[in-house]
Amino acid sequence: MEFSEHIKTANVEDVVLRQPLNPPGRGTLCITGHHLLFSDREDGGSRQLLLLLRNIDAIEKRMTGSSGTITIKCKDLRVFQLDIPGMEQCLNIARSIETLSCLDCVCEMYPFFYRPAFLSLQDQWGLSSPEKHYMTYSSRRNWLSSVNRDYSVCPSYPPAVIVPNGVDDDTLKKAAKFRQGGRFPVLCYYHKKNGMVIMRSSQPLPGANRKRCREDELLLQAVMGDSDKGYVIDTRSSQQAQQARMTGGGFESKSSYSCWKRLHRQMERGKALQESLIKVVEACGDESHNMDRWLSKLENSKWLSHIQTALSTAGLLAECVERDGHSVLVHGSEGRDCSLLISTLAQIIMDPHCRTMEGFLALLEREWVQAGHPFQQRCARSAFSHARLQQESPLFLLLLDCVWQLWRQFPLALGFSEALLLRLATEVYASNYGTFLCNSDQERCTLGVKTKTHCLFQALLRLEERDYYCNPLYEPTELAIWPSVHPQSLQLWRGFFLRWTPQTRHLEEAQEEIRNMVIECGKLMLR
């Protein structure tokens, strides 16, 4: 496709830009196939705005006489206005933005054109692989299987997965047919302290007839080892799990999985979670300055309730493994959303390596990118879009918010700063990199993402970037970090939801000053 087909007006002079935290500026507006560029060179100064069109969530047009105003609302929650002279030019710019910001063809997105001098397409794509992860957690109880080498067993899994020792490929293939989407139980975490593991999968498919699958039962039995009990944490309510039987789904019955105790912890996803995000953003944009009204809107959004549920469920998972000494299987329905969320948080709670910057990014790659979270579907829209909700859900943003709560409660325990979380919250919706493209590893391989785009996580670990995103107060600890989930312990993530307000800008400046002071103190101690 030629991007020029969608650009009727490429340049407009004498445009006024009005954006938060800056005075209005007059300059030139340019539209390209992937970017909106505004250049202001009034009064001898120079100010530029370079915005990926993919970052635009919604636009609103208002015509006044022979000119018009376009309000642009971004997925990173930025809102700004463009006053454009000439009605035709304004309408042309608006149409170009609407069309180019919604392109669905992955191969036409900007990561396939981005070529920074500091990265090479010859570099290995990504930080880790199931094979490397296996070498870290290998024991006599676990082994690496390439049963999914051609993605035929489970389209959303990577080619290699870690499973219990002694389970052959035929058993895995039959177990996969008994799990929704073929997502049979695989190991995602091995707890070195006691040898217990966390497995994740999708729901079993007993249906209304309560079918059994001996191979699935054998697979879970192999997880047990010498233990006499394990837990299944189901991220649906007991009623939802029962209702799933009517459509062919279900849960692990006591009679067939006698050693496994089922725990239900209902977690919202999909439409309910997306609507919660829309409401909390709306509350943060309330300009009435009425505190009671603002607090009421914040509570009605239920966003902090979702944070509380996620952290408490992850805490339960970590407690089963760390304190009780039992292995756990986590699943909901599809096993590509809430299961990944709580397994990730539980690993941060228990594993000191996951709290380092490199370990955290490798965890995200392993538990979200490789494990098949459908980023393309879930992050197609943010909080401002007027489009009808389809499969959007801010699960990854919810994860980042939960990690921020941990970072706030344990300011010395995490090796990275809030700035890294904010960067990831922006990149997941619109990025120069290919890391969050597509919905599975199979799609990335088919479309050439790993050979024709660069990896965000590798870029973030470059020395220049690492220094900026590291936590200067970091003090490693081998102990687990147990978050408080009392309502008074959880706060609105101001750095994200209020990031374009003067108050948050002052917080950023204060944090930067603290960072510089810590660095200077470190230099003095080395003298």
Side-chain angles (χ1 to χ4, degrees), residues 143 156 350:
W143 68 286
S156 61
M350 292 187 290

Side-chain angles (χ1 to χ4, degrees), residues 200 335-344 367-368 371 373:
R200 48 175 164 70
R336 304 176 71 179
D337 293 295
C338 295
S339 302
L340 310 184
L341 171 63
I342 65 168
S343 70
T344 302
E367 287 297 280
W368 291 79
H373 180 66

Side-chain angles (χ1 to χ4, degrees), residues 379-432:
C379 301
R381 294 284 181 268
S382 184
F384 294 122
S385 175
H386 305 303
R388 182 180 178 184
L389 293 181
Q390 296 182 11
Q391 300 185 63
E392 296 85 1
S393 185
L395 257 300
F396 191 75
L397 180 60
L398 185 69
L399 167 75
L400 297 177
D401 199 330
C402 288
V403 176
W404 178 80
Q405 304 288 341
L406 289 171
W407 178 82
R408 194 185 62 80
Q409 292 186 24
F410 301 94
L412 308 183
L414 276 67
F416 48 88
S417 67
E418 179 185 16
L420 178 66
L421 302 177
L422 291 170
R423 173 76 180 271
L424 292 169
T426 298
E427 297 280 349
V428 74
Y429 284 103
S431 179
N432 294 339

Side-chain angles (χ1 to χ4, degrees), residues 291-359:
M291 181 60 71
D292 290 338
R293 176 177 170 176
W294 186 82
L295 290 174
S296 176
K297 282 190 170 185
L298 180 61
E299 183 179 2
N300 289 337
S301 75
K302 299 184 179 179
W303 183 258
L304 289 177
S305 297
H306 297 314
I307 298 289
Q308 182 183 43
T309 301
L311 285 173
S312 62
T313 306
L316 171 65
L317 170 55
E319 189 172 349
C320 290
V321 175
E322 167 89 9
R323 292 179 174 172
D324 295 349
H326 295 295
S327 293
V328 182
L329 169 66
V330 184
H331 71 70
S333 297
E334 298 177 13
R336 304 176 71 179
D337 293 295
C338 295
S339 302
L340 310 184
L341 171 63
I342 65 168
S343 70
T344 302
L345 291 172
Q347 291 178 62
I348 295 173
I349 290 171
M350 292 187 290
D351 190 345
H353 178 65
C354 293
R355 301 195 287 266
T356 66
M357 182 170 168
E358 186 169 1

Side-chain angles (χ1 to χ4, degrees), residues 193-214:
K193 291 182 181 178
N194 56 19
M196 297 299 105
V197 301
I198 298 176
M199 307 281 286
R200 48 175 164 70
S201 70
S202 58
Q203 67 173 337
L205 303 175
N209 296 328
R210 305 193 180 194
K211 293 182 293 185
R212 293 181 62 176
C213 176
R214 297 289 185 185

Side-chain angles (χ1 to χ4, degrees), residues 422-468:
L422 291 170
R423 173 76 180 271
L424 292 169
T426 298
E427 297 280 349
V428 74
Y429 284 103
S431 179
N432 294 339
Y433 301 89
T435 300
F436 298 124
L437 292 180
C438 304
N439 298 306
S440 67
D441 190 79
Q442 181 184 26
E443 286 186 16
R444 291 184 197 95
C445 288
T446 301
L447 296 174
V449 171
K450 295 184 178 183
T451 57
K452 298 176 182 177
T453 75
H454 295 288
C455 174
L456 169 66
F457 299 149
Q458 287 174 316
L460 292 175
L461 288 176
R462 292 174 59 246
L463 185 60
E464 299 87 345
E465 299 273 12
R466 185 196 291 259
D467 288 346
Y468 177 73

Side-chain angles (χ1 to χ4, degrees), residues 149-346:
R149 64 180 68 85
D150 58 357
Y151 302 103
S152 61
V153 176
C154 177
S156 61
Y157 272 168
V161 293
I162 306 174
V163 296
N165 195 8
V167 179
D168 59 33
D169 285 357
D170 286 340
T171 298
L172 295 175
K173 289 176 181 178
K174 291 177 181 177
K177 293 179 180 178
F178 189 67
R179 294 278 170 172
Q180 182 169 337
R183 292 179 70 89
F184 58 90
V186 297
L187 180 143
C188 62
Y189 178 68
Y190 175 81
H191 199 45
K192 294 180 179 179
K193 291 182 181 178
N194 56 19
M196 297 299 105
V197 301
I198 298 176
M199 307 281 286
R200 48 175 164 70
S201 70
S202 58
Q203 67 173 337
L205 303 175
N209 296 328
R210 305 193 180 194
K211 293 182 293 185
R212 293 181 62 176
C213 176
R214 297 289 185 185
E215 289 77 13
D216 190 75
E217 295 167 21
L218 287 172
L219 174 54
L220 288 186
Q221 187 59 41
V223 176
M224 300 293 292
D226 299 328
S227 181
D228 60 347
K229 183 173 71 172
Y231 290 99
V232 176
I233 295 182
D234 193 327
T235 60
R236 305 166 294 177
S237 67
S238 178
Q239 183 181 8
Q240 287 173 330
Q242 291 281 358
Q243 291 174 343
R245 280 184 165 175
M246 299 300 102
T247 54
F251 52 87
E252 295 81 3
S253 66
K254 290 182 180 179
S255 58
S256 301
Y257 302 84
S258 57
C259 295
W260 292 85
K261 181 177 181 181
R262 200 169 66 251
L263 305 172
H264 291 275
R265 294 294 184 273
Q266 182 179 358
M267 298 179 65
E268 296 291 353
R269 63 184 187 93
K271 184 178 180 180
L273 195 60
Q274 184 70 17
E275 290 178 345
S276 178
L277 173 65
I278 292 170
K279 289 178 180 178
V280 73
V281 170
E282 180 184 327
C284 292
D286 190 332
E287 298 179 350
S288 66
H289 303 292
N290 184 313
M291 181 60 71
D292 290 338
R293 176 177 170 176
W294 186 82
L295 290 174
S296 176
K297 282 190 170 185
L298 180 61
E299 183 179 2
N300 289 337
S301 75
K302 299 184 179 179
W303 183 258
L304 289 177
S305 297
H306 297 314
I307 298 289
Q308 182 183 43
T309 301
L311 285 173
S312 62
T313 306
L316 171 65
L317 170 55
E319 189 172 349
C320 290
V321 175
E322 167 89 9
R323 292 179 174 172
D324 295 349
H326 295 295
S327 293
V328 182
L329 169 66
V330 184
H331 71 70
S333 297
E334 298 177 13
R336 304 176 71 179
D337 293 295
C338 295
S339 302
L340 310 184
L341 171 63
I342 65 168
S343 70
T344 302
L345 291 172

